[in-house]
Amino acid sequence: MRRPFALLAAALVVGAFTVPASAADGDDGFTIRDPRIKESSGLAASRLHPGVYWTHNDSDDGPYIYAVDSRTGKTVATITLSGIGRPRDVEAISIGPGNQIYVGDIGDNLGGTWPYVWIYRLPEPKVLKDQTIRATQYVVKYADGARDAESLVVHPKTGRAYIIDKKENGGHLYKGPAHLSSSGTNVFRPVAPVDLWATDAAFSPDGRQLAVRGYFGGIHYDFADGRIKRKGKLDVPLQGQGESVTYSPDGTELLYGSEGADSPVEAKDAPGAAATRSPKGSSGPADGDGASSDSIKLGAIAVATGAAPLFLLRRLRRNK
């Protein structure tokens, strides 16, 4: 996939200089301490276990998801999914009604050439311990052809699944069937444009807001019956490789995650929450769409010293 490498590298290196929140802050931000989790690509706040966030690696890891305690940053349960094939490119995780976990094996590093992708569904365990849980596997196709995607969201009230494809110049929100079928193909159809190079998305707990993040910023929408209305920009922190977002269980915060070892999860006020309490520290302007001039200069210096080529080589290798 074509990427604006110079701009992306500069912004991501700037993100490496930001200070992650302390693990002790719990839902105010934490650092993922599990050395097995090096490519955290999705994030979902548990409603069953307060303070716990579900995540997973990107690819080449296996059928695993991890429950991370935000108070310590440590993994408190590793779940092995059974009853499914070998995961190919897991990019997203979401929790729907009835504490059902949905895992999106929807990435396509070949640029949108695989004829189908998969969604896995499993019940969130009531007891957090290492265990194997049988999952249901759904085959997914798009009405307008194969594509790459990293954003899967399941509506917390209706249980309907939506996917946002990942395109540099903006993609679309795709709506799945009212009920996913495990015996046939589930066709997802485009319903609205999304003006962002999307790496993840999340519904608010009441299902009325949709937050979409990218590498450089984010957008929040009003959501109603599959229709979206753009409301404004999100205050997305600059991170090493910003890949995930989730609402806190009470809907007052958005937590943003990044790939990499000991990756930080940073909390920002969700739209509308800032009016009731002091805003959290920001690494950029209030609208979240850029860095300060000093940060940009710092990023340029870092790129010149050779930090950016390491990132570029990694991304090129992953997209072969």
Side-chain angles (χ1 to χ4, degrees):
M1 180 182 295
R2 184 174 62 87
R3 303 176 190 275
F5 282 125
L7 181 59
L8 177 60
L12 296 179
V13 171
V14 171
F17 288 87
T18 61
V19 180
S22 167
D25 290 339
D27 287 346
D28 288 335
F30 58 97
T31 297
I32 297 174
R33 301 295 185 186
D34 191 331
R36 297 172 299 174
I37 306 174
K38 298 178 180 179
E39 292 187 326
S40 175
S41 222
L43 200 63
S46 172
R47 304 184 195 108
L48 195 57
H49 305 285
V52 167
Y53 288 81
W54 292 95
T55 190
H56 54 81
N57 280 311
D58 186 339
S59 56
D60 301 323
D61 182 37
Y64 310 117
I65 60 173
Y66 306 91
V68 178
D69 185 342
S70 64
R71 290 160 291 193
T72 65
K74 296 181 179 180
T75 297
V76 292
T78 300
I79 305 301
T80 302
L81 281 63
S82 66
I84 65 173
R86 180 177 177 81
R88 188 163 51 189
D89 191 357
V90 178
E91 291 287 358
I93 189 167
S94 184
I95 298 181
N99 299 313
Q100 296 289 304
I101 299 175
Y102 293 76
V103 180
D105 191 356
I106 57 175
D108 187 345
N109 284 332
L110 299 178
T113 59
W114 289 327
Y116 55 83
V117 292
W118 301 297
I119 293 173
Y120 314 123
R121 177 180 60 84
L122 67 153
E124 183 174 10
K126 294 181 180 179
V127 177
L128 291 177
K129 64 178 182 179
D130 292 353
Q131 57 190 292
T132 297
I133 297 178
R134 187 170 185 84
T136 302
Q137 179 169 322
Y138 303 104
V139 175
V140 169
K141 290 186 177 182
Y142 301 96
D144 51 357
R147 58 203 55 251
D148 186 22
E150 296 189 2
S151 308
L152 166 72
V153 288
V154 178
H155 195 274
K157 304 300 182 182
T158 68
R160 194 163 203 154
Y162 298 83
I163 293 173
I164 301 170
D165 63 337
K166 183 184 180 184
K167 287 188 174 181
E168 182 181 332
N169 296 321
H172 281 80
L173 176 71
Y174 285 77
K175 180 171 68 174
H179 302 285
L180 295 175
S181 170
S182 59
S183 60
T185 299
N186 298 274
V187 178
F188 279 60
R189 304 182 185 281
V191 292
V194 174
D195 187 22
L196 193 70
W197 192 12
T199 60
D200 200 14
F203 277 123
S204 60
D206 62 9
R208 296 178 180 178
Q209 303 291 319
L210 175 65
V212 185
R213 78 157 298 172
Y215 293 121
F216 305 117
I219 303 171
H220 65 98
Y221 298 88
D222 282 344
F223 182 91
D225 299 325
R227 299 185 302 273
I228 57 175
K229 180 180 180 181
R230 179 170 175 152
K231 298 299 291 183
K233 299 176 183 179
L234 292 173
D235 183 15
V236 177
L238 289 169
Q239 296 178 307
Q241 188 177 330
E243 291 279 349
S244 59
V245 65
T246 186
Y247 274 87
S248 60
D250 64 3
T252 63
E253 295 177 330
L254 282 165
L255 289 97
Y256 299 92
S258 174
E259 284 195 5
D262 291 324
S263 58
V265 176
E266 301 184 48
K268 298 285 187 178
D269 286 321
T276 60
R277 64 170 183 266
S278 299
K280 300 182 185 303
S282 172
S283 59
D287 63 10
D289 262 14
S292 66
S293 59
D294 289 342
S295 294
I296 293 173
K297 292 175 183 177
L298 179 59
I301 293 171
V303 170
T305 60
L310 296 177
F311 171 79
L312 298 180
L313 286 173
R314 178 172 177 269
R315 296 303 293 176
L316 285 169
R317 185 174 66 253
R318 284 184 55 197
N319 284 276
K320 287 182 178 179

